[in-house]
Amino acid sequence: MKNCKRIAVVAAGTLLAGCASPQRNAELSSFDPDAGYRFDTLSSPKNSDELLVILTFSGGGTRAAALSYGVAQQLKATIIEAEGETRSLLDEVDVISSVSGGSFTSAYYGLFGDRLFKDFEERVLKRNIQDELIWLVLAPWNWIRLASPTFSRSDLAAEYYAEQFFEHQTFGDLIQRDRRPFIIINAADMTMGSPFEFTQDQFDLLYSDLASVPVGRAVAASSAFPLLLSPVAMKNWNSTGHDGFVEPLWIDPALKDGPELGHRFQDARQARSYSDVSQGRHFIHLLDGGVVDILGLRPVLRAASTTDGGWSMMRQINMERVDRVVVIVVNATTAPDTAWDKEEKTPGLLDVAIATANGLLGTSAFFVAAQQRDQLYQYQQSAASRRDCEMLLRQRKCEDATIPGGAIHPVDWHVIHVGFDRIAGHDRKETRRYFQNLPTSLKLPDEDVDCLRRAGASLLTESKTYSALVEALHGSVNALVQPSELDACRPE
């Protein structure tokens, strides 16, 4: 009965929308690189600048949304000392970079704050989103709209998310809220095969006002998985040239230095493609961000290694604003069992689609994610090694000795990984197998959602790096879940 009422509400909302075209992103009235939804424009009255806390929420449908929700709950229950007062570690979060399913959690928290813990489970996690979307696609009054070449299934999903979850809030509302964390919702540029961020720095390149974009539309783009959903289109107002547009200074040098720069060159090539009139990119088609960055770590790695873009850890460290960097990677990717390898029969199209949705064909994504994690750990180890060398020079009173690169502001790095592969030990094999076989979908039984929520909280507190961080911050952890409670989740 409850699902029937929900479907009726969804149907009424969609019917009222009539044959309206999808809400496109508006053109900028004028170019201002210091205005709009950017890290530096958000205030942080109860957030200490010396401690930089970054979360990344991976893709994985409801599984990812629930796991990241459990992490947020545990961060809320972790109390630390900062600037002479006690506060939750969640209050210290500066940035959340999310992909696909993880974007539901990050967007909800960005818009509504601690209301996340009051109604997110009932409103989003324990809801059969998948069937409601299917029902909308099959509803006769949507057939005419879906027959239009400019209106897609993802446009329908964007309307549904905006109506049912995000209360038609836009990025303009996030600007008005004026508080961290800075939410980076990640999609993928279908043509360039590169990440696309819903930030004003990215939308500057389109000469577009991100404030006009519904948050639900960004989440729809971030979770527009190929085959299952269609790409989400964004209007590129810069494709015809704008005299008022000023290209970011880092782009031209990066292009001149060439492909040897790797991701930096690719980022510059993508950025130039939007303003290069000869390329004629009048519309940018966006897919699920997990296609190119399953963990949502690309913005974090760029911020750690360059001074490019709107927010940069390196810039803040060079200015001696940051003393401690915390990166918590919430990874909901799985390694499910398969049956088709046991027989010669070729898997059908449905099997292939399911395999793709579950990430079984995402081997390249797995290696990219591993490479990203390794790079992040290298930053941590490099900082520790440099600190050890400086200490050794002081102990030996080598006053004339210097380390190449000059004096660098010392920073403590804490990289914390929350994922199902962290359920270690032979005696926990069945627990690990249970989580690694949960499907990638937008509907899960309530008991699976509860187990995922517990997993997020438990795996965070089980991390030795997390315990060391809390101790360094003179804090205390109120563990919401014990490992034994997590081990109660087993495959049937």
Side-chain angles (χ1 to χ4, degrees):
M1 179 65 71
K2 181 168 65 175
N3 284 338
C4 291
K5 289 181 178 178
R6 281 177 171 170
I7 289 175
V9 171
V10 172
T14 306
L15 188 60
L16 288 174
C19 295
S21 299
Q23 184 173 347
R24 298 292 186 204
N25 50 302
E27 184 179 12
L28 277 173
S29 58
S30 62
F31 179 72
D32 184 351
D34 298 319
Y37 190 63
R38 310 175 199 268
F39 179 81
D40 288 338
T41 62
L42 300 180
S43 62
S44 55
K46 290 187 176 181
N47 184 305
S48 55
D49 291 334
E50 296 82 7
L51 174 63
L52 185 65
V53 181
I54 302 162
L55 310 180
T56 72
F57 293 165
S58 81
T62 298
R63 183 184 68 241
L67 184 70
S68 57
Y69 174 66
V71 169
Q73 284 185 309
Q74 187 57 66
L75 289 171
K76 183 68 177 176
T78 301
I79 305 303
I80 64 168
E81 292 184 14
E83 298 179 326
E85 63 180 37
T86 58
R87 59 182 65 153
S88 81
L89 188 51
L90 184 63
D91 292 333
E92 284 288 341
V93 174
D94 296 276
V95 178
I96 305 179
S97 175
S98 64
V99 177
S100 195
S103 292
F104 286 89
T105 312
S106 69
Y108 206 90
Y109 182 65
L111 284 171
F112 307 122
D114 285 350
R115 183 178 141 188
L116 176 81
F117 308 113
K118 297 178 180 179
D119 60 7
F120 185 67
E121 279 192 70
E122 178 66 22
R123 198 175 186 189
V124 180
L125 296 179
K126 295 183 176 179
R127 185 159 177 171
N128 192 339
I129 299 172
Q130 188 162 295
D131 283 1
E132 290 183 17
L133 286 174
I134 292 173
W135 192 86
L136 282 175
V137 171
L138 296 177
W141 50 81
N142 285 322
W143 292 350
I144 296 177
R145 306 175 78 203
L146 290 170
S148 168
T150 61
F151 190 89
S152 68
R153 297 188 304 278
S154 288
D155 291 321
L156 202 60
E159 291 181 353
Y160 166 74
Y161 297 158
E163 168 70 29
Q164 298 298 310
F165 306 145
F166 303 115
E167 301 176 3
H168 297 291
Q169 301 277 294
T170 67
F171 281 88
D173 293 295
L174 277 174
I175 296 171
Q176 291 298 316
R177 196 162 188 266
D178 189 27
R179 66 177 291 272
R180 295 181 189 170
F182 179 52
I183 307 298
I184 304 174
I185 297 176
N186 295 278
D189 184 325
M190 180 177 173
T191 299
M192 302 297 293
S194 302
F196 183 98
E197 303 170 9
F198 280 81
T199 64
Q200 188 55 53
D201 293 288
Q202 179 84 67
F203 273 68
D204 280 347
L205 301 172
L206 309 183
Y207 205 81
S208 179
D209 185 5
L210 178 62
S212 67
V213 177
V215 173
R217 189 164 181 79
V219 174
S222 181
S223 56
F225 197 88
L227 302 179
L228 303 179
L229 287 168
S230 50
V232 173
M234 291 288 157
K235 171 67 175 173
N236 180 11
W237 298 97
N238 213 11
S239 61
T240 55
H242 274 275
D243 293 337
F245 173 69
V246 178
E247 185 177 79
L249 296 177
W250 64 272
I251 294 176
D252 192 58
L255 288 172
K256 289 178 179 177
D257 287 339
E260 290 77 12
L261 288 179
H263 284 315
R264 191 165 187 253
F265 173 78
Q266 176 66 8
D267 291 342
R269 194 169 72 91
Q270 176 190 9
R272 178 65 61 79
S273 76
Y274 301 131
S275 58
D276 186 347
V277 177
S278 66
Q279 296 199 31
R281 302 195 67 196
H282 300 291
F283 289 90
I284 310 304
H285 297 280
L286 304 177
L287 292 171
D288 189 311
V291 172
V292 294
D293 179 13
I294 192 63
L295 298 182
L297 262 175
R298 276 284 294 275
V300 180
L301 295 176
R302 185 176 61 205
S305 59
T306 75
T307 57
D308 303 338
W311 74 285
S312 167
M313 281 185 271
M314 179 176 284
R315 187 188 309 124
Q316 294 178 69
I317 291 171
N318 291 343
M319 296 175 68
E320 301 187 5
R321 291 179 178 175
V322 176
D323 297 326
R324 192 183 305 274
V325 176
V326 179
V327 181
I328 301 177
V329 181
V330 184
N331 181 3
T333 58
T334 57
D337 300 331
T338 63
W340 48 76
D341 290 337
K342 299 177 181 178
E343 55 187 31
E344 185 179 0
K345 179 183 176 182
T346 301
L349 290 177
L350 181 60
D351 290 328
V352 173
I354 293 173
T356 303
N358 279 311
L360 298 183
L361 300 182
T363 305
S364 61
F366 171 81
F367 285 114
V368 169
Q371 186 181 40
Q372 289 176 337
R373 289 197 303 269
D374 290 345
Q375 188 174 344
L376 204 54
Y377 283 119
Q378 285 176 11
Y379 295 143
Q380 183 183 26
Q381 294 303 316
S382 296
S385 297
R386 185 179 185 88
R387 188 166 55 248
D388 291 343
C389 287
E390 290 174 340
M391 184 180 298
L392 186 61
L393 288 176
R394 288 196 298 270
Q395 288 174 347
R396 297 188 177 183
K397 298 181 179 180
C398 301
E399 298 178 358
D400 296 330
T402 59
I403 298 178
I408 296 179
H409 181 60
V411 172
D412 291 321
W413 282 78
H414 306 262
V415 180
I416 300 161
H417 183 81
V418 176
F420 305 133
D421 58 338
R422 287 331 196 236
I423 305 175
H426 184 75
D427 58 331
R428 305 186 78 185
K429 179 179 178 181
E430 289 303 308
T431 304
R432 185 168 60 253
R433 178 170 170 260
Y434 161 76
F435 285 107
Q436 290 184 329
N437 278 276
L438 289 174
T440 298
S441 68
L442 290 175
K443 66 172 181 178
L444 286 176
D446 289 358
E447 55 269 25
D448 288 343
V449 170
D450 290 335
C451 281
L452 285 159
R453 174 183 53 79
R454 291 200 293 267
S458 178
L459 291 173
L460 183 61
T461 55
E462 287 182 58
S463 166
K464 294 181 180 179
T465 308
Y466 187 70
S467 298
L469 166 67
V470 175
E471 182 178 356
L473 296 174
H474 308 289
S476 60
V477 178
N478 174 23
L480 300 178
V481 179
Q482 298 301 319
S484 58
E485 296 179 72
L486 185 61
D487 290 333
C489 299
R490 298 292 179 97
E492 296 182 357

